[in-house]
Amino acid sequence: MAEDSKSVQVTDAVVRTTLLPLVVTLIVDVVLRTTGVDLGGYQTLVAAAAGYVGYAVVRFLEVYVSPKWGYILGLKVASAPTYKGRYAA
């Protein structure tokens, strides 16, 4: 990845860590509600957990199978991103 500005790095990080879990959470919640599955107070928790499990699966595929799986996480890159520490030289 080319040298990006800090704002681009932050934007990429936010998109990667929130977009897929949010979409999966919404889909699971809608499916549970439309199929009539009633989990009571746990419905939101189950939907949110499914979102983060979905992120973990895609991240695992990106790291261990092929970096191209990163497309699902919202970036158009051919390799996993690298981040510099805040005080890196």
Side-chain angles (χ1 to χ4, degrees), residues 21-37 39-40 42-48 50-51:
L22 180 62
V23 169
V24 171
T25 299
L26 291 173
I27 290 170
V28 168
D29 192 47
V30 168
V31 167
L32 289 174
R33 290 178 193 276
T34 57
T35 58
V37 175
L39 299 175
Y42 294 107
Q43 185 145 340
T44 303
L45 180 63
V46 169

Side-chain angles (χ1 to χ4, degrees), residues 15-87:
V15 167
R16 289 178 62 82
T17 57
T18 60
L19 186 65
L20 180 71
L22 180 62
V23 169
V24 171
T25 299
L26 291 173
I27 290 170
V28 168
D29 192 47
V30 168
V31 167
L32 289 174
R33 290 178 193 276
T34 57
T35 58
V37 175
D38 184 20
L39 299 175
Y42 294 107
Q43 185 145 340
T44 303
L45 180 63
V46 169
Y52 285 98
V53 167
Y55 172 81
V57 167
V58 173
R59 184 70 174 119
F60 176 84
L61 292 171
E62 180 186 32
V63 171
Y64 293 106
V65 177
S66 171
K68 293 180 181 178
W69 282 94
Y71 275 176
I72 296 173
L73 296 177
L75 290 181
K76 298 175 183 171
V77 295
S79 64
T82 58
Y83 302 103
K84 287 186 176 181
R86 180 179 223 170
Y87 302 105

